[in-house]
Amino acid sequence: MTGTGQPNVLLHQAFRQFQYPTVPLAIYPKEVINGHRAFIARRRGLRPSEEYRLPTDEEWEEFLGHFERRRVALGTCGRAYATSCIHEHSCLRCSLLRVDPQQRHRIAEIRDNLLARIDEAQREGWLGEVEGLKVSLAAAQQKLGQLDERTRRAATTHLGMPTAPDSP
């Protein structure tokens, strides 16, 4: 905005030139950016220098191995490096599991099996079992819903943002 309360036309045209969908709401002064960079440099100066050494071959192989071990039967586990699985490998219930679309049939089989096991547990009066199975069933249905949403989004055709002609 200019001092007269009118939008800055040149600023809007500059942002349109770079095809921003909207004008950014904040433009940070150089002092803020430089201050943040100085803060980061001070924090790095406080850290022990051994944190900035090159990893050994063994450390590097262990790091790469973590990403290989993230691959599970239903997809990929998104847990962070050097963290254990807090769900004890009950991946279906885990929000960090990114299901492979080609494994949709397996999730559907698991869901159908859970429904049958719930029926059996209810017949036998195993109420604790029913409760746990229902949690797993809800997770399976959620994963199927996520897969369906991803498939739907992938099939969507984006036509882009229409632009108005520049006014004279």
Side-chain angles (χ1 to χ4, degrees):
M1 299 287 269
T2 62
T4 62
Q6 297 298 318
N8 187 333
V9 176
L10 292 177
L11 181 64
H12 284 269
Q13 288 175 347
F15 283 110
R16 184 183 298 143
Q17 172 187 355
F18 293 109
Q19 299 177 350
Y20 283 101
T22 60
V23 176
L25 298 177
I27 298 174
Y28 293 98
K30 192 175 265 188
E31 301 84 39
V32 172
I33 294 170
N34 290 338
H36 180 69
R37 287 179 177 156
F39 168 77
I40 297 295
R42 282 192 308 276
R43 292 283 297 174
R44 285 185 178 149
L46 295 175
R47 287 183 173 270
S49 62
E50 55 270 7
E51 288 188 16
Y52 294 101
R53 65 174 174 71
L54 287 175
T56 65
D57 289 340
E58 294 82 22
E59 290 170 330
W60 187 247
E61 288 303 316
E62 195 275 325
F63 175 73
L64 294 176
H66 163 79
F67 296 101
E68 292 171 5
R69 289 186 301 274
R70 286 178 28 173
R71 189 84 180 118
V72 293
L74 297 175
T76 305
C77 176
R79 66 183 155 73
Y81 170 69
T83 59
S84 60
C85 180
I86 61 172
H87 299 102
E88 299 175 7
H89 301 283
S90 180
C91 297
L92 186 64
R93 293 182 177 188
C94 183
S95 61
L96 297 176
L97 173 66
R98 179 113 171 140
V99 178
D100 180 352
Q102 294 178 347
Q103 300 301 321
R104 188 184 196 291
H105 70 282
R106 292 183 85 167
I107 303 263
E109 287 175 10
I110 291 170
R111 179 204 54 210
D112 296 344
N113 180 271
L114 286 166
L115 288 168
R117 289 176 61 196
I118 289 170
D119 288 343
E120 176 190 16
Q122 286 174 334
R123 269 193 323 274
E124 299 295 329
W126 303 330
L127 300 181
E129 188 79 7
V130 170
E131 192 175 307
L133 291 169
K134 284 184 177 180
V135 172
S136 293
L137 177 62
Q141 290 171 330
Q142 181 183 29
K143 297 291 185 209
L144 287 170
Q146 289 171 354
L147 278 176
D148 293 343
E149 177 63 21
R150 282 174 48 200
T151 302
R152 186 191 64 74
R153 270 189 277 133
T156 303
T157 302
H158 295 282
L159 300 176
M161 183 67 119
T163 57
D166 291 334
S167 56

